Amino acid sequence: MISACLAHHVVGRFEHTRIGDNDVAYGEEVRKVMSSKRFRNGAARLAIFAGIGFAAMIMAGPAPAAPAAPAAPDVADFSGFSIAAPVLPGGLTIPGASDTTQLWPGGPRVGMTPGDSLWPGGPALPGLAVVNPQQSVSAPCTTPGTRACLQLSSNLAWLMDNGKVTFGPTPISHGRPGFETPPGVFHVASKDWYHWSTMHHAEMRYAVFFNGDIATHIGPIQEKSHGCIRMTPDGARAFYDYLRPGDQFEVVR
């Protein structure tokens, strides 16, 4: 189509060109030339070259810019930031708490150490020595060499070494009326981690005998006994582990 239009345009130009008096003859000659096979081939080549040039101009144009990548969100840098969590006995931790944080109002601290009292004036961690320098723990027994101290009026017991408390106080119960536990100084005769009382037909776990058939052992501390010293499982186990035959007991009112 391009070659035809171009030929028509050229023919028109030549048709309207006057060169002296021979303009009509010249126009006829031009039409013959234009209608020749050579002209048609040339026009076709011209059209092809024009199309290629136009396509090259389009392709050479600037490529559309790629969309910009979205900006990264602002993120605070917490590298190297940490909160040291206090360690509880047994290796447990409470993230975000300090050593002075109380487990509950009036309760023990998170950072308590072996020997710290569970509450002011209360027993220390069961089976561990009292080493808290902030609070002095004393026992009512004063006889030199006493290793186990029992107080009947307060229903409390302690373990001692050279006059200093190493465990306690821990709650106890003692003999009921008619089976009273006598006060005095005694010595450990024997120990038995499981003893069966043939007299009362009852088990006595972690028993430490210090006055005949009277012993410290696990038992319900809410009730009085037939003379023995009933203790909590932790208290009875601590006495059983700490005391040896020959160690001194002191029982005070």
Side-chain angles (χ1 to χ4, degrees):
M1 181 179 291
I2 295 176
S3 60
C5 293
L6 180 60
H8 179 73
H9 177 70
V10 173
V11 170
R13 292 289 302 272
F14 276 101
E15 285 181 336
H16 292 85
T17 302
R18 298 179 62 86
I19 305 175
D21 294 333
N22 299 321
D23 56 330
V24 176
Y26 187 77
E28 289 293 332
E29 187 66 22
V30 168
R31 277 193 292 270
K32 293 179 181 180
V33 173
M34 297 298 290
S35 62
S36 66
K37 182 178 180 180
R38 181 180 299 176
F39 179 81
R40 289 197 300 270
N41 291 340
R45 292 191 187 96
L46 180 60
I48 292 174
F49 292 150
I52 293 174
F54 182 74
M57 292 176 62
I58 294 177
M59 295 178 65
D74 293 332
V75 178
D77 183 15
F78 291 102
S79 58
F81 179 78
S82 63
I83 299 177
V87 180
L88 292 172
L92 300 177
T93 60
I94 299 180
S98 67
D99 284 347
T100 58
T101 302
Q102 290 182 310
L103 296 179
W104 59 83
R109 293 179 292 104
V110 168
M112 64 192 308
T113 58
D116 286 355
S117 297
L118 295 178
W119 58 84
L125 295 179
L128 299 177
V130 176
V131 294
N132 185 5
Q134 299 179 352
Q135 183 173 352
S136 176
V137 178
S138 60
C141 299
T142 57
T143 303
T146 294
R147 301 271 288 171
C149 176
L150 309 175
Q151 188 175 47
L152 305 178
S153 60
S154 65
N155 283 320
L156 294 174
W158 299 259
L159 292 173
M160 305 176 66
D161 183 38
N162 294 323
K164 295 182 179 180
V165 173
T166 60
F167 173 83
T170 185
I172 64 171
S173 66
H174 54 86
R176 66 189 66 179
F179 299 91
E180 292 86 353
T181 303
V185 177
F186 311 92
H187 294 86
V188 175
S190 63
K191 303 194 308 180
D192 193 353
W193 75 272
Y194 182 86
H195 179 81
W196 180 260
S197 173
T198 56
M199 182 180 299
H200 304 291
H201 304 287
E203 66 177 20
M204 301 164 60
R205 293 180 180 269
Y206 296 112
V208 179
F209 292 89
F210 63 92
N211 182 12
D213 60 354
I214 296 178
T216 59
H217 61 83
I218 295 176
I221 61 174
Q222 298 83 3
E223 302 175 4
K224 290 190 175 183
S225 69
H226 291 88
C228 284
I229 303 298
R230 292 175 174 175
M231 309 185 80
T232 65
D234 290 333
R237 178 64 184 269
F239 269 57
Y240 182 88
D241 291 342
Y242 184 76
L243 298 170
R244 299 291 183 270
D247 284 350
Q248 183 170 293
F249 261 80
E250 184 174 0
V251 181
V252 298
R253 294 192 185 277

